[in-house]
Amino acid sequence: MTQSFDDKGFATRAVRAGQIRTQEGEHAEPIFPTSSYVFESAEQAAARFSGDEPGNIYSRFTNPTVRTFEQRLATLEGGESAVATSSGMSAILSTFMALLSAGDHIVSSRSIFGTTRVLFDKYLAKFGLETDYVDLIDIEDWQRAIKPNTKALFLETPSNPMNEIADLAALSALAKANDCLLIVDNCFCTPALQQPLALGADIVVHSATKYIDGQGRCVGGAVVGDAQLVGQEVYGFLRTAGPTMSPFNAWTFLKGLETLDLRMKAHSASALALATWLEQQPQVTNVFYAGLPSHPQHELAKKQQSAFSGLIAFEVKGGKEGAWKLVNATQWLSITANLGDTKTTITHPATTTHGRLTQEARDEAGISDGLLRISVGLENVEDIQADLQHGFDLIQ
Ligand SMILES: *Cc1c(COP(=O)(O)O)cnc(C)c1O
């Protein structure tokens, strides 16, 4: 039977919550690679299918390993229910398919993951969901965009790559006053650093692919919230449409949760040290990291996050040429757009993640040609500095 750890501390819940120990007495959580389950009798089969008896039926919607991950993540986010999904994108898709209807309106921050924007504009739009975009940190902009049919406010905070911070308590008050849901993609902080539900959000979505795995192995996602919205409605969509997490991936992610608290503190400490060092480099014109006292929303970030996560953006002299020189001079930093890994990654947003935007859209988002983004991993921070120094030596 599962024991409740709800009254225990975060780290304890991250290691212990949701585990079911079988009669084999295994210490680590088992993986259940089975698509279906057997029943003891025709009566039991009927009772399971009718919902009169709880229990496993079919792994599109009931799997013990996946359930362990869901219960563990739910308690860490402070939600009643979590539903695990095959990817971060399917977590977002499932949330909107389950909770909104044709004719509804979404207000979203402009500074969201590019593929989420494609999902809104190209696919949800086909089914009658309309999305308008606003400035993440301008509460009046949010207010102005709300219409009578607005059903959801959607955002990521901190934003990627510029590290802007949304005021979650203020947006939650706005959502409540207008009878809409506040949906927060908590990918960059994870519950180890920020718990949006406690600040008034209704739903948290995750790309577990990033920090929850934390080691660059699996693609997955999750939706967390109350028992009705998530436990019934999002679960109902998942059960029917099937963007399910595999038991193997669920096991990887629940092992990721066990070290999440330690890793997020370490990513944050290294990122703060690196951002502080970057600010002192003569070739760097600007550093965007909410942990720096120079960041315009440093106080807000301190209030709603326990640390500042591992993503840093910074601008170098020399525009695109300077930025590419720096990237190409590194000897072992990973040149990839992925983030939230033990391995430090470096990317040039203007020609990769934001390369398909118009120049005007890039300007509006603050993505200049000299901007670089680093996802600080868990290597020694002096070694990361030394690898960047190879590039700085070339862009005097
Ligand atoms: C990566 C990412 C997603 C999408 O997640 P996948 O697991 O790649 O589908 C969504 N939101 C944010 C903020 C992300 O970084």
Side-chain angles (χ1 to χ4, degrees):
M1 277 329 301
T2 39
Q3 203 177 331
S4 171
F5 285 89
D6 287 351
D7 60 337
K8 305 286 191 294
F10 187 93
T12 306
R13 283 178 281 139
V15 173
R16 295 278 178 176
Q19 182 167 6
I20 17 160
R21 191 161 280 141
T22 74
Q23 68 271 28
E24 300 295 339
E26 72 282 351
H27 193 199
E29 296 77 356
I31 307 179
F32 288 92
T34 180
S35 51
S36 67
Y37 302 84
V38 292
F39 309 110
E40 279 164 13
S41 63
E43 287 78 3
Q44 188 183 44
R48 288 274 176 91
F49 272 81
S50 69
D52 289 343
E53 179 186 304
N56 298 315
I57 299 175
Y58 185 59
S59 280
R60 185 181 340 104
F61 51 97
T62 51
N63 180 278
T65 314
V66 176
R67 191 157 57 245
T68 301
F69 169 68
E70 290 170 337
Q71 290 182 354
R72 194 167 289 183
L73 182 63
T75 166
L76 296 180
E77 284 286 5
E80 292 171 348
S81 287
V83 169
T85 57
S86 56
S87 67
M89 289 319 304
S90 63
I92 298 169
L93 173 71
S94 301
T95 302
F96 285 98
M97 291 299 277
L99 302 179
L100 271 67
S101 305
D104 288 347
H105 177 240
I106 302 164
V107 180
S108 169
S109 151
R110 210 169 274 126
S111 58
I112 53 171
F113 188 61
T115 309
T116 308
R117 186 147 181 169
V118 178
L119 177 70
F120 289 163
D121 293 346
K122 186 164 177 192
Y123 296 103
L124 294 186
K126 283 211 294 191
F127 297 93
L129 286 174
E130 184 204 357
T131 307
D132 281 316
Y133 297 93
V134 297
D135 183 346
L136 177 70
I137 62 172
D138 182 349
I139 193 90
E140 281 160 20
D141 208 14
W142 287 91
Q143 192 150 20
R144 274 193 299 273
I146 292 175
K147 303 200 276 196
N149 61 338
T150 303
K151 288 286 158 54
L153 310 184
F154 181 87
L155 60 94
E156 296 165 17
T157 181
S159 70
N160 172 25
M162 301 308 285
N163 256 281
E164 289 189 314
I165 308 292
D167 186 337
L168 288 175
L171 284 167
S172 144
L174 185 66
K176 287 199 172 47
N178 290 278
D179 213 12
C180 38
L181 297 171
L182 179 62
I183 304 175
V184 177
D185 185 332
N186 198 24
C187 176
F188 304 124
C189 274
T190 83
L193 306 184
Q194 166 175 279
Q195 290 159 16
L197 299 177
L199 295 165
D202 299 286
I203 307 263
V204 162
V205 294
H206 271 290
S207 168
T209 316
K210 314 293 167 52
Y211 286 110
I212 289 181
D213 175 356
Q215 290 151 82
R217 300 165 295 193
C218 292
V219 173
V223 186
V224 192
D226 72 24
Q228 176 59 34
L229 290 177
V230 174
Q232 294 289 326
E233 294 180 33
V234 178
Y235 175 72
F237 175 79
L238 188 98
R239 172 182 181 132
T240 308
T244 308
M245 180 180 281
S246 82
F248 291 100
N249 287 5
W251 185 83
T252 308
F253 293 130
L254 74 91
K255 287 290 144 188
L257 288 179
E258 293 183 7
T259 56
L260 185 69
D261 198 39
L262 288 173
R263 286 188 289 107
M264 293 313 292
K265 284 178 178 145
H267 282 294
S268 300
S270 290
L272 182 58
L274 190 66
T276 305
W277 177 80
L278 284 169
E279 252 189 341
Q280 294 155 3
Q281 302 312 304
Q283 301 87 348
V284 173
T285 51
N286 236 323
V287 181
F288 305 93
Y289 184 64
L292 293 172
S294 61
H295 187 282
Q297 294 157 297
H298 178 61
E299 289 308 316
L300 174 62
K302 269 205 318 208
K303 201 169 77 182
Q304 72 184 21
Q305 302 171 205
S306 63
F308 308 100
S309 194
L311 285 187
I312 302 173
F314 63 103
E315 253 163 17
V316 295
K317 289 182 180 163
K320 177 183 147 186
E321 200 194 333
W324 277 26
K325 254 190 208 164
L326 185 73
V327 171
N328 288 332
T330 60
Q331 294 177 356
W332 54 266
L333 294 185
S334 309
I335 305 173
T336 166
N338 198 25
L339 59 93
D341 199 308
T342 50
K343 296 179 172 64
T344 297
T345 69
I346 185 163
T347 189
H348 181 243
T351 53
T352 59
T353 52
H354 295 69
R356 278 189 278 171
L357 296 185
T358 61
Q359 182 67 47
E360 191 190 356
R362 269 199 300 278
D363 290 346
E364 204 175 48
I367 312 292
S368 67
D369 287 348
L371 190 81
L372 290 165
R373 187 196 73 192
I374 291 186
S375 166
V376 182
L378 299 180
E379 305 97 336
N380 290 96
V381 71
E382 312 79 64
D383 292 329
I384 301 170
Q385 287 168 5
D387 205 18
L388 290 170
Q389 189 65 51
H390 295 131
F392 285 138
D393 292 343
L394 299 177
I395 45 172
Q396 289 311 328

Short mmCIF file of all heavy atoms in Angstrom, two decimals, residues 79-118:
data_model
loop_
_atom_site.label_atom_id
_atom_site.label_comp_id
_atom_site.label_asym_id
_atom_site.label_seq_id
_atom_site.Cartn_x
_atom_site.Cartn_y
_atom_site.Cartn_z
N GLY A 79 -0.44 19.87 -5.49
CA GLY A 79 -1.72 19.67 -6.19
C GLY A 79 -2.38 18.38 -5.74
O GLY A 79 -1.72 17.48 -5.24
N GLU A 80 -3.70 18.29 -5.96
CA GLU A 80 -4.41 17.07 -5.57
C GLU A 80 -4.14 15.94 -6.55
O GLU A 80 -4.14 14.78 -6.18
CB GLU A 80 -5.93 17.33 -5.54
CG GLU A 80 -6.34 18.27 -4.43
CD GLU A 80 -7.81 18.69 -4.54
OE1 GLU A 80 -8.47 18.45 -5.59
OE2 GLU A 80 -8.30 19.29 -3.57
N SER A 81 -3.96 16.30 -7.82
CA SER A 81 -3.83 15.29 -8.87
C SER A 81 -2.77 15.68 -9.88
O SER A 81 -2.59 16.87 -10.15
CB SER A 81 -5.14 15.16 -9.66
OG SER A 81 -6.12 14.53 -8.91
N ALA A 82 -2.13 14.67 -10.44
CA ALA A 82 -1.24 14.90 -11.58
C ALA A 82 -1.55 13.85 -12.63
O ALA A 82 -1.95 12.73 -12.31
CB ALA A 82 0.23 14.81 -11.16
N VAL A 83 -1.40 14.24 -13.88
CA VAL A 83 -1.55 13.31 -15.00
C VAL A 83 -0.26 13.37 -15.80
O VAL A 83 0.17 14.45 -16.22
CB VAL A 83 -2.77 13.72 -15.87
CG1 VAL A 83 -2.77 12.94 -17.17
CG2 VAL A 83 -4.06 13.50 -15.11
N ALA A 84 0.38 12.22 -16.01
CA ALA A 84 1.63 12.18 -16.77
C ALA A 84 1.32 12.02 -18.25
O ALA A 84 0.36 11.32 -18.62
CB ALA A 84 2.49 11.01 -16.30
N THR A 85 2.10 12.67 -19.09
CA THR A 85 1.86 12.65 -20.53
C THR A 85 3.14 12.29 -21.29
O THR A 85 4.24 12.33 -20.72
CB THR A 85 1.36 14.03 -21.01
OG1 THR A 85 2.33 15.02 -20.65
CG2 THR A 85 0.02 14.39 -20.38
N SER A 86 2.99 12.01 -22.57
CA SER A 86 4.11 11.53 -23.37
C SER A 86 5.17 12.60 -23.63
O SER A 86 6.29 12.28 -23.97
CB SER A 86 3.59 11.00 -24.70
OG SER A 86 2.85 12.03 -25.35
N SER A 87 4.81 13.88 -23.50
CA SER A 87 5.76 14.97 -23.72
C SER A 87 5.21 16.23 -23.06
O SER A 87 4.04 16.25 -22.64
CB SER A 87 5.94 15.24 -25.23
OG SER A 87 4.74 15.75 -25.78
N GLY A 88 6.04 17.25 -22.99
CA GLY A 88 5.55 18.53 -22.48
C GLY A 88 4.47 19.10 -23.39
O GLY A 88 3.46 19.64 -22.93
N MET A 89 4.65 18.95 -24.70
CA MET A 89 3.64 19.47 -25.64
C MET A 89 2.31 18.75 -25.46
O MET A 89 1.26 19.38 -25.53
CB MET A 89 4.13 19.34 -27.09
CG MET A 89 5.26 20.29 -27.47
SD MET A 89 5.12 21.98 -26.84
CE MET A 89 3.54 22.49 -27.47
N SER A 90 2.34 17.44 -25.23
CA SER A 90 1.05 16.75 -25.07
C SER A 90 0.42 17.10 -23.72
O SER A 90 -0.81 17.02 -23.58
CB SER A 90 1.19 15.24 -25.26
OG SER A 90 2.01 14.67 -24.30
N ALA A 91 1.21 17.54 -22.75
CA ALA A 91 0.62 18.03 -21.49
C ALA A 91 -0.18 19.31 -21.77
O ALA A 91 -1.30 19.48 -21.27
CB ALA A 91 1.73 18.30 -20.47
N ILE A 92 0.40 20.20 -22.59
CA ILE A 92 -0.28 21.46 -22.90
C ILE A 92 -1.50 21.19 -23.77
O ILE A 92 -2.61 21.68 -23.51
CB ILE A 92 0.72 22.44 -23.56
CG1 ILE A 92 1.87 22.74 -22.58
CG2 ILE A 92 0.02 23.73 -23.98
CD1 ILE A 92 3.04 23.48 -23.20
N LEU A 93 -1.31 20.36 -24.80
CA LEU A 93 -2.45 19.99 -25.66
C LEU A 93 -3.59 19.39 -24.83
O LEU A 93 -4.75 19.78 -24.97
CB LEU A 93 -1.99 18.98 -26.72
CG LEU A 93 -3.13 18.40 -27.58
CD1 LEU A 93 -3.68 19.46 -28.53
CD2 LEU A 93 -2.66 17.18 -28.38
N SER A 94 -3.27 18.43 -23.97
CA SER A 94 -4.31 17.74 -23.19
C SER A 94 -5.06 18.71 -22.30
O SER A 94 -6.28 18.61 -22.13
CB SER A 94 -3.68 16.64 -22.32
OG SER A 94 -2.99 15.71 -23.12
N THR A 95 -4.33 19.68 -21.71
CA THR A 95 -4.97 20.66 -20.82
C THR A 95 -6.02 21.46 -21.59
O THR A 95 -7.17 21.60 -21.14
CB THR A 95 -3.89 21.60 -20.25
OG1 THR A 95 -2.94 20.81 -19.55
CG2 THR A 95 -4.49 22.62 -19.31
N PHE A 96 -5.63 21.96 -22.76
CA PHE A 96 -6.57 22.80 -23.52
C PHE A 96 -7.69 21.99 -24.15
O PHE A 96 -8.84 22.44 -24.19
CB PHE A 96 -5.82 23.66 -24.55
CG PHE A 96 -5.08 24.79 -23.89
CD1 PHE A 96 -3.73 24.70 -23.60
CD2 PHE A 96 -5.77 25.92 -23.48
CE1 PHE A 96 -3.07 25.73 -22.95
CE2 PHE A 96 -5.12 26.96 -22.82
CZ PHE A 96 -3.76 26.86 -22.56
N MET A 97 -7.40 20.80 -24.63
CA MET A 97 -8.46 19.96 -25.21
C MET A 97 -9.48 19.59 -24.14
O MET A 97 -10.67 19.52 -24.40
CB MET A 97 -7.85 18.69 -25.83
CG MET A 97 -7.03 18.93 -27.06
SD MET A 97 -7.95 19.67 -28.43
CE MET A 97 -8.72 18.23 -29.14
N ALA A 98 -8.99 19.32 -22.93
CA ALA A 98 -9.91 18.87 -21.89
C ALA A 98 -10.73 20.01 -21.31
O ALA A 98 -11.90 19.84 -20.98
CB ALA A 98 -9.11 18.19 -20.77
N LEU A 99 -10.13 21.19 -21.17
CA LEU A 99 -10.78 22.23 -20.34
C LEU A 99 -11.42 23.36 -21.15
O LEU A 99 -12.22 24.11 -20.59
CB LEU A 99 -9.76 22.81 -19.35
CG LEU A 99 -9.12 21.78 -18.41
CD1 LEU A 99 -8.10 22.46 -17.49
CD2 LEU A 99 -10.18 21.06 -17.58
N LEU A 100 -11.07 23.51 -22.44
CA LEU A 100 -11.67 24.60 -23.23
C LEU A 100 -12.52 24.03 -24.36
O LEU A 100 -12.43 22.85 -24.68
CB LEU A 100 -10.57 25.52 -23.78
CG LEU A 100 -10.18 26.69 -22.83
CD1 LEU A 100 -9.51 26.19 -21.58
CD2 LEU A 100 -9.31 27.72 -23.54
N SER A 101 -13.33 24.89 -24.97
CA SER A 101 -14.21 24.48 -26.06
C SER A 101 -14.11 25.51 -27.19
O SER A 101 -13.69 26.65 -26.97
CB SER A 101 -15.67 24.45 -25.62
OG SER A 101 -15.82 23.64 -24.50
N ALA A 102 -14.57 25.11 -28.35
CA ALA A 102 -14.60 26.01 -29.50
C ALA A 102 -15.31 27.31 -29.12
O ALA A 102 -16.34 27.28 -28.44
CB ALA A 102 -15.33 25.34 -30.67
N GLY A 103 -14.72 28.42 -29.53
CA GLY A 103 -15.30 29.73 -29.19
C GLY A 103 -14.64 30.36 -27.97
O GLY A 103 -14.84 31.54 -27.70
N ASP A 104 -13.85 29.58 -27.24
CA ASP A 104 -13.16 30.13 -26.07
C ASP A 104 -11.91 30.90 -26.51
O ASP A 104 -11.36 30.66 -27.58
CB ASP A 104 -12.74 29.02 -25.10
CG ASP A 104 -13.94 28.42 -24.36
OD1 ASP A 104 -15.03 29.02 -24.41
OD2 ASP A 104 -13.76 27.35 -23.74
N HIS A 105 -11.46 31.77 -25.63
CA HIS A 105 -10.33 32.65 -25.92
C HIS A 105 -9.23 32.43 -24.88
O HIS A 105 -9.52 32.27 -23.69
CB HIS A 105 -10.84 34.10 -25.89
CG HIS A 105 -9.79 35.15 -26.10
ND1 HIS A 105 -9.51 36.11 -25.15
CD2 HIS A 105 -8.97 35.39 -27.15
CE1 HIS A 105 -8.56 36.91 -25.62
NE2 HIS A 105 -8.21 36.50 -26.83
N ILE A 106 -7.98 32.43 -25.35
CA ILE A 106 -6.82 32.26 -24.46
C ILE A 106 -6.00 33.56 -24.51
O ILE A 106 -5.80 34.11 -25.60
CB ILE A 106 -5.92 31.10 -24.97
CG1 ILE A 106 -6.71 29.79 -25.04
CG2 ILE A 106 -4.67 30.95 -24.10
CD1 ILE A 106 -6.03 28.70 -25.89
N VAL A 107 -5.54 34.02 -23.37
CA VAL A 107 -4.55 35.10 -23.35
C VAL A 107 -3.24 34.46 -22.90
O VAL A 107 -3.19 33.81 -21.85
CB VAL A 107 -4.94 36.25 -22.42
CG1 VAL A 107 -3.86 37.34 -22.45
CG2 VAL A 107 -6.29 36.83 -22.80
N SER A 108 -2.21 34.62 -23.71
CA SER A 108 -0.93 33.99 -23.41
C SER A 108 0.19 35.03 -23.42
O SER A 108 0.15 36.00 -24.18
CB SER A 108 -0.62 32.92 -24.47
OG SER A 108 0.71 32.48 -24.35
N SER A 109 1.17 34.78 -22.61
CA SER A 109 2.38 35.58 -22.69
C SER A 109 3.02 35.35 -24.06
O SER A 109 2.97 34.25 -24.60
CB SER A 109 3.33 35.13 -21.58
OG SER A 109 4.65 35.35 -21.97
N ARG A 110 3.62 36.41 -24.60
CA ARG A 110 4.29 36.31 -25.89
C ARG A 110 5.56 35.47 -25.77
O ARG A 110 5.97 34.80 -26.70
CB ARG A 110 4.67 37.74 -26.32
CG ARG A 110 4.71 37.98 -27.78
CD ARG A 110 4.82 39.48 -28.06
NE ARG A 110 3.54 40.14 -28.10
CZ ARG A 110 3.21 41.21 -27.37
NH1 ARG A 110 4.06 41.76 -26.53
NH2 ARG A 110 2.01 41.74 -27.48
N SER A 111 6.16 35.50 -24.60
CA SER A 111 7.49 34.88 -24.43
C SER A 111 7.38 33.42 -24.01
O SER A 111 7.97 33.00 -23.03
CB SER A 111 8.27 35.65 -23.37
OG SER A 111 7.53 35.67 -22.16
N ILE A 112 6.60 32.64 -24.78
CA ILE A 112 6.46 31.22 -24.44
C ILE A 112 7.29 30.38 -25.41
O ILE A 112 7.74 30.86 -26.45
CB ILE A 112 4.99 30.75 -24.47
CG1 ILE A 112 4.33 31.11 -25.81
CG2 ILE A 112 4.23 31.34 -23.29
CD1 ILE A 112 2.96 30.49 -26.01
N PHE A 113 7.46 29.12 -25.06
CA PHE A 113 8.14 28.14 -25.89
C PHE A 113 7.57 28.19 -27.32
O PHE A 113 6.34 28.18 -27.50
CB PHE A 113 7.91 26.77 -25.26
CG PHE A 113 8.67 25.64 -25.86
CD1 PHE A 113 10.05 25.64 -25.87
CD2 PHE A 113 8.01 24.55 -26.39
CE1 PHE A 113 10.76 24.58 -26.41
CE2 PHE A 113 8.71 23.48 -26.94
CZ PHE A 113 10.09 23.49 -26.94
N GLY A 114 8.44 28.26 -28.32
CA GLY A 114 8.00 28.46 -29.70
C GLY A 114 6.97 27.44 -30.17
O GLY A 114 6.01 27.78 -30.87
N THR A 115 7.15 26.19 -29.80
CA THR A 115 6.23 25.15 -30.27
C THR A 115 4.85 25.32 -29.62
O THR A 115 3.83 24.99 -30.22
CB THR A 115 6.82 23.76 -29.98
OG1 THR A 115 8.16 23.74 -30.49
CG2 THR A 115 6.03 22.67 -30.64
N THR A 116 4.81 25.85 -28.40
CA THR A 116 3.51 26.10 -27.76
C THR A 116 2.75 27.14 -28.58
O THR A 116 1.54 27.04 -28.79
CB THR A 116 3.72 26.60 -26.32
OG1 THR A 116 4.58 25.68 -25.63
CG2 THR A 116 2.39 26.69 -25.58
N ARG A 117 3.48 28.12 -29.07
CA ARG A 117 2.85 29.15 -29.89
C ARG A 117 2.30 28.55 -31.20
O ARG A 117 1.20 28.88 -31.63
CB ARG A 117 3.87 30.26 -30.18
CG ARG A 117 3.26 31.40 -30.89
CD ARG A 117 3.88 32.71 -30.51
NE ARG A 117 3.15 33.73 -31.27
CZ ARG A 117 3.24 35.03 -31.06
NH1 ARG A 117 4.02 35.48 -30.11
NH2 ARG A 117 2.55 35.86 -31.78
N VAL A 118 3.05 27.64 -31.80
CA VAL A 118 2.56 26.96 -33.00
C VAL A 118 1.31 26.14 -32.68
O VAL A 118 0.33 26.14 -33.44
CB VAL A 118 3.66 26.06 -33.62
CG1 VAL A 118 3.12 25.32 -34.84
CG2 VAL A 118 4.89 26.87 -34.00
#
